[in-house]
Amino acid sequence: MKRTLIIVAVVTLAGVAIAGMLYGRDVIDGMRYEKAMHQIGETNKANAGPWPQPQEACFVCHGPRGQSLNAWYPALSGQPKAYIAAQLHAFASDQRPNAYMGPLAKDLTDAEIDAFAIYFAKQTPARNEDVPADAALETRGLALVQARSCQACHGGNLMGKDQVPRLAGQGADYLAKQLTDFKTGARKDPTGAMNGAASMLSSEDIPAVARYLAGMTPEHDGAVAH
């Protein structure tokens, strides 16, 4: 009997050793994966509560965590909280008409709008796109931005403040569309400042300004990076 037990133990240990050699890496990788997913889950809870999170529905257009990777859709990451909230209220009240955002914003409560604004405002911003180099457009865009004193409202690094949006690193197509809409009156700034500024831009100025802003790397402190 004792001999039988010894044989069983030896066979079992041999089986474990062979399994370890065959599947050990998979087991370790599985443990690492589980640990990584747990860390992601804990980060999400600390960041905005457990998944699913309502704001993640926005990723289809605005990218994960509000960082758009599409030149046509604005990034919400790093936008001032007050600006995000103001725009959602404007969409909901049709002060800023939009066939897509209007219905979505109308379904949000004030508390939900504040939650969205807080969440996206604290996300780390980045450029929407890698803008092709064009020295002539960039030089013209910089000159126009400085001449129009855009920093006075949008901040030294054009990162936005209060109810004024971040421009640095937004998509060129989106920026050009908004400037054109301000110029034509299709989009109205409650203060009138953007309509007045855009009205002084020519059809050649707008793509230059948009190109320059899109090529900026969002920076909260220090000199603006390109």
Side-chain angles (χ1 to χ4, degrees), residues 68-124:
S68 174
L69 301 176
N70 188 314
W72 280 105
Y73 293 102
L76 306 179
S77 57
Q79 287 283 20
K81 172 183 174 292
Y83 173 75
I84 296 174
Q87 295 310 300
L88 286 173
H89 283 297
F91 284 129
S93 64
D94 291 324
Q95 291 179 352
R96 184 177 174 184
N98 185 283
Y100 300 102
M101 286 303 304
L104 292 173
K106 285 180 173 66
D107 286 338
L108 298 176
T109 65
D110 289 347
E112 288 171 333
I113 286 177
D114 285 343
F116 275 103
I118 291 170
Y119 173 81
F120 288 119
K122 68 181 181 181
Q123 304 307 312
T124 302

Side-chain angles (χ1 to χ4, degrees), residues 195-217:
N195 296 104
S199 68
M200 296 185 288
L201 297 175
S202 69
S203 57
E204 291 78 24
D205 291 338
I206 287 176
V209 171
R211 164 63 182 76
Y212 170 74
L213 295 173
M216 296 176 65
T217 298

Side-chain angles (χ1 to χ4, degrees), residues 132-142 211:
D134 190 320
L137 271 182
E138 183 172 329
T139 299
R140 181 172 183 169
L142 172 60
R211 164 63 182 76

Side-chain angles (χ1 to χ4, degrees), residues 36-65:
M37 292 303 294
H38 176 73
Q39 290 174 339
I40 291 172
E42 291 302 308
T43 299
N44 282 338
K45 288 179 183 179
N47 192 35
W51 191 91
Q53 301 163 7
Q55 65 275 5
E56 291 304 336
C58 304
F59 87 93
V60 176
C61 294
H62 297 286
R65 300 187 184 278

